[in-house]
Amino acid sequence: MSMTTNQHPVTIAIVNGIVWTGEPDKPWAEAVALSGDRIAAVGSTAEIRLRVSPQTKVIDAHGGMVVPGFIDSHVHFLAGGMNLASVQLRDARTPSDFIARIKAFAATVPRGTWITGGDWDHENWGGDLPQRSWIDSITPDNPVWVNRLDGHMALANSAAMRAAGVPMSGGDVAGGTITRDASGQPSGIFKDNAQELIDRSVPDPDPAILDRALDAAMTYANERGVTSVDHMGTWSDLAVYERAHAAGKLRTRIYAAVPLSTWARLRDTVAARGRGDSWLRIGGLKGFVDGSLGSHTAAMMQPFTDAPGDSGLLVNTPENLYLWTSNADKANLHVIVHAIGDRAINLQLGIFERVERENGARDRRFRIEHAQHIAPPDIPRFGELGVIPSMQPYHAIDDGRWAEKVIGPARARTTYAFRALRDTRARLAFGSDWPVAPATPLEGIYAAVTRRTLDDKHPGGWIPEQKIAVEDALRAYTGGGAYASFEEREKGSLAPGKLADVVIIDRDLTKIAPETIRGAKIDYTIVGGRIVYDRNAASQ
Ligand SMILES: [Zn+2]
């Protein structure tokens, strides 16, 4: 019994649980003992009780499920934190609701303050894109720059366009689109690379605001059972995390990826300072092949079903993607690339294959983020090449409401192909893409297991043959995530010696009706042996 191998004092004992360890040879137990920031033992309640001392905090799980802390493998953590404090447009159901929310928010901020965030979704009201004319009269003194929930397009009001010096005439930007009204003037919608025309004029938030955003993001994550995130961001984001880490304030472990094109800077930083520790790690580089399906900027092999003649776009050239991938790989860095359309995925798989052949064998764990719409012949290549599909199951039940309109029924068969990827031995990592979707693993597990779209129009599941089992989804949110950041020896399962990152859920997800999974509650979240969320304490 492993419990006798470690005799450090037990600080927390979790008993009477249904413990899913994530360890293939011993997947189930009843109790877990923590000692400081490590797991001391996993076993039966009787065995763990023998380790309890007067100093031990005993948590009775009351038959709830105890799992490794959830790893969200794809978030934009500071953007999410900023959004928690900004205008909320995600659930605006009509254009007038959209307008009213912006008007109400504008009344709460000083003149001249930029209003950003938003996360609107024009599919909520049938697909008409918002225009600056909707909001100009209610926001004369505040630049407004609010993004669609996928981040691939955003709406500027006239004040924002003036502040950014965007001309009323003038062409598109490579890899981007400026939507125009009947008179040929910009309507306020800027897509993909065209967003840079406004982005460059948005003032940086001051450090105190960013620190608050990070704190809000960690609280949000902890409430949802998320103990680690892979953050897709910038060097300035990394500076915020470093500040929090130095002050001992991190409550969520962060693997912070920086832009792929800056691989040389990361190589030099890693050479000078190493890759960090279990709270804050670097070494990952995030690149982009294409845009998103909702913006019609995913790169497809064939045109979109609802836009013949348009097959999306590449946001970087294949030459640059190859050079960055190859150079980063030669520098022993971890290459993580966004690819959504089948043409984008095919292109990046080809680059990964070529780079591996040219640079030789090593444990490189290339990742494709999203991997949403895969051409059928490319599905087994993930397993064969060892490329990690880092996917967001919530997107499937969100996009599933309208995706067939955009790609048609045939391509939909291999969309969000969790099951087919699993069956061809790909190692799935799951996440949310928060703030694009809620960073709620229980919702993600529900989505992967049921594939019931948010409008509930597919009660048996949208493309039901791509459903996976609860344990598969749990693995993708725990061990799969740990593997995807080279940390499977430290976390991702409950075993003696691993980090004490543990979540207690109020019911056993494997025993309840799948459609009720999203109703389960997180009772406790423990990170590094410290209780960072306690539902009972939170509700008092
Ligand atoms: Zn993302």
Side-chain angles (χ1 to χ4, degrees), residues 105-120:
F105 188 82
T108 68
V109 297
R111 284 177 68 145
T113 300
W114 282 71
I115 297 171
T116 59
D119 288 334
W120 48 267

Side-chain angles (χ1 to χ4, degrees), residues 74-76 232 286 338 370 433 436:
H74 189 121
V75 296
H76 306 275
M232 306 296 148
K286 162 79 181 305
H338 164 125
H370 313 303
D433 208 7
V436 180

Side-chain angles (χ1 to χ4, degrees), residues 27 52 59 72 110 184 208 242 297 299 321 326 341 348 389 400 418 431 481 488 519 529:
V52 168
I59 297 175
D72 188 321
E242 285 171 340
T297 52
L321 288 164
S326 178
Q348 191 61 36
F418 309 128
E488 73 279 8

Side-chain angles (χ1 to χ4, degrees), residues 411-480:
R411 286 181 289 192
R413 310 313 298 180
T414 49
T415 281
Y416 298 99
F418 309 128
R419 178 68 195 239
L421 285 161
R422 174 202 172 280
D423 288 352
T424 51
R425 299 182 181 280
R427 299 184 73 145
L428 286 163
F430 277 171
S432 65
D433 208 7
W434 186 59
V436 180
T440 309
L442 292 177
E443 296 261 13
I445 293 166
Y446 165 84
V449 170
T450 70
R451 294 181 72 102
R452 285 165 74 117
T453 51
L454 294 180
D455 57 14
D456 250 328
K457 291 200 175 137
H458 301 85
W462 177 57
I463 325 293
E465 62 271 27
Q466 297 293 352
K467 291 184 202 173
I468 54 173
V470 170
E471 280 192 74
D472 291 326
L474 282 171
R475 200 166 289 112
Y477 266 114
T478 55

Side-chain angles (χ1 to χ4, degrees), residues 152 192 289-293 295 297-299 313-315 338-341 370:
H152 287 277
D192 285 293
V289 183
D290 63 346
S292 78
L293 192 69
S295 298
T297 52
L313 54 82
L314 300 179
V315 299
H338 164 125
I340 285 183
H370 313 303

